[in-house]
Every structure is written in C-alpha cells, then in structure tokens.
Amino acid sequence: MNQQLENTAIDYLQTLKQLGVQKIEVSAETLQALKARGKNSGSSKLAANGEVPRRAANREVVPPAPQESARPLNLGSAEKVAALEKLAAEINANTGYRAMFKYARQMVFGVGSADAKIMFVGEAPGADEDEQGEPFVGRAGQLLTKMIQAMGLQRGDVYIGNIVKYRPDMPPGSSGNRKPTLEEITISRPYICEQIRIIQPKVLVALGNTAVEGLFKTGSAGITQRRGNWTEFQGVPLMPTYHPAYLLRNPVNSEKRKVWEDLLKVMEKAGLAISDKQRNFFLTK
Ligand code: URA
C-alpha cells in the first residue's frame, strides 16, 4: 500500500469510528495482508482489532472514496465542469461502492450548473431518480422544482445533488424508498464534499435530516430545531430546511411557509433580488 492510499484508508476508518461504526467487513485476503503488515511493521494493532463477521469472506471490499478536503479549489467554469466529470467517472469506476447497491440501475451524480450560486443537497435517489439518473425528479423532486421556480430560478440555474449516489436497496419485490444506512452515508460522504469543493456555491441548502446528518457527521440532526438557522459547511453558508418529502407528508401552509422563509434567507444570502410578491407570498395565505 502506498503512503497516500494508506493515509486515506486510515482517515476513512477514523471517520467510520467517529460515526459509531464498530465493525467493517473485509475479505479474508485483506485480513491476511493486514496481519502480515502488522507483523512486518512490529505492530499488530489493525489486525488485532479486525473483527470479521462470518459473511465477510465473500464480500467485495469497498475501496476508500477520495479524501475530503475543505480547501476550496477556486476553479473557472470549464475547470469545474471537467472536475465534476472526472469525479463522476471516479465514482462510476468505484466497483466496491457500486456493489453496496445491488439493485440500483445507475449512479445519480448530480444535476445543474457547475457555476451555481445555490446548491441543494438531498438524501439519496429514490425509484424515479434511479430510473432517470437525475436527482429529485419524483414527487418530492417536482415540489423542489416548484420551490426553485418560486425563487425565480430554473433547475439549470442551481446545482442539485445527494449525499448517497445510488438508490439504497429495498428488499426485492418491495416498493418505496428507504433512508440510507450510516455505512452508506459514511462511504458516500467524501463525494458530496468534493462536489461542494468543486462548485463552491455561495449558499448550500441541506434538505432534511439525512442531508444535515451526512454533511456534519452528526447522529441526529434535529431538523426542526436547526432549520432556518444559518450554519457553515466547508466555509460555505448552509441553510438547513425541511425535505420536500416532508412537505408532501404534511401539506399544510404553516410548514410550507417555514421552508419558504428559509428560502427567502437563501435568496438574500445569494444576492438574488426578492420581489414584494415573493416576500409576501404566505402573508396572503
Ligand atoms: N429525495 C432525495 O433526497 N433525493 C432525491 O434525489 C430524490 C428524493
């Protein structure tokens, strides 16, 4: 293992540990290699801690995702497009990551302008996104699109991505979508961090609990308390708000209004003009 790869692997394992993951699955060969390495380097720490679940021997090892870094890249438009394409190709080539999502049809990387001032971060693709290869195209996505339009923008003016890049597996034959597991979020996380680092939007909007939990590595985001309050992620102002799916489940004006108020703050921060009609939208409801 070269030094850079080794550091990346160690960082990745430490992130998992911080998130409370106590066991990981490694192949028998990897375990052998770690044991041999431990002996050669005079340390058996890794091997001694490497508890292997019974299923592990046949499972493909997930290679470490790229190391996340908060340092902005300060790229020009064309460089941003190229960097996003390169990242998408890297994710596509990560066979271990792909293997975690047995039933997913395709990767759902992200969509929109590489130069976007506003970037929305969701949870994971659902069935519709899995079919179309684009985030937020199902019912929740259509509501997000309406929200973007109410801000005076089109989908192509913003960037939309998810923490997890494949639809989390559902038991065969069952419909619906599920929240990604901690393992799926942890392994995916560096990719969204890198997308943010490349795009470097003026404002981030985290949609729902999972997006906040995934970005901030926090166990329970408490979106009800957090929404509406500015925070910062990788140096970018971030507004947590409710996921559009929550509004579909709770289609009452009081909740819609909260999201709209959050989005007005986002528009202000992004330097967008706000008309009286936009500002007073819910006052007349
Ligand atoms: N919900 C999400 O969080 N992301 C999508 O892409 C679709 C629905």
Side-chain angles (χ1 to χ4, degrees), residues 62-75:
V62 177
Q67 196 170 6
E68 65 194 72
S69 157
R71 199 168 38 81
L73 291 170
N74 297 323
L75 303 174

Side-chain angles (χ1 to χ4, degrees), residues 59-252:
R59 171 110 186 236
E60 200 169 347
V61 181
V62 177
Q67 196 170 6
E68 65 194 72
S69 157
R71 199 168 38 81
L73 291 170
N74 297 323
L75 303 174
S77 304
E79 290 168 321
K80 284 183 184 183
V81 172
L84 287 172
E85 277 172 12
K86 183 163 172 268
L87 180 63
E90 266 170 41
I91 302 175
N92 245 331
N94 187 338
T95 53
Y97 183 49
R98 178 71 183 87
M100 290 178 74
F101 306 92
K102 284 194 290 297
Y103 305 116
R105 294 185 192 185
Q106 56 186 318
M107 176 183 67
V108 180
F109 178 69
V111 72
S113 165
D115 267 333
K117 286 184 183 163
I118 301 173
M119 176 168 172
F120 291 88
V121 179
E123 180 177 302
D128 296 308
E129 291 75 21
D130 182 48
E131 201 171 312
Q132 295 184 42
E134 183 172 326
F136 282 98
V137 290
R139 277 186 73 223
Q142 285 158 22
L143 181 54
L144 177 65
T145 303
K146 281 189 189 157
M147 283 154 45
I148 292 167
Q149 287 166 347
M151 295 167 82
L153 301 168
Q154 299 301 320
R155 274 171 76 96
D157 297 324
V158 301
Y159 193 88
I160 308 172
N162 281 312
I163 303 272
V164 175
K165 303 298 185 229
Y166 290 95
R167 181 186 182 210
D169 281 344
M170 294 291 290
S174 63
S175 62
N177 301 311
R178 71 160 167 85
K179 185 181 154 139
T181 63
L182 184 60
E183 187 191 13
E184 287 163 348
I185 291 173
T186 305
I187 285 162
S188 306
R189 185 176 182 277
Y191 291 135
I192 189 72
C193 292
E194 191 62 11
Q195 278 171 298
I196 293 169
R197 200 161 80 100
I198 293 168
I199 295 166
Q200 206 57 36
K202 273 194 168 172
V203 190
L204 282 162
V205 183
L207 298 167
N209 260 318
T210 307
V212 176
E213 288 167 12
L215 291 174
F216 291 99
K217 300 187 194 173
T218 163
S220 167
I223 192 70
T224 310
Q225 288 74 41
R226 283 190 186 235
R227 65 139 284 277
N229 298 305
W230 285 110
T231 176
E232 208 178 84
F233 184 77
Q234 291 182 181
V236 182
L238 180 142
M239 174 57 68
T241 196
Y242 290 137
H243 194 286
Y246 168 80
L247 294 181
L248 291 176
R249 290 193 302 271
N250 301 277
V252 291

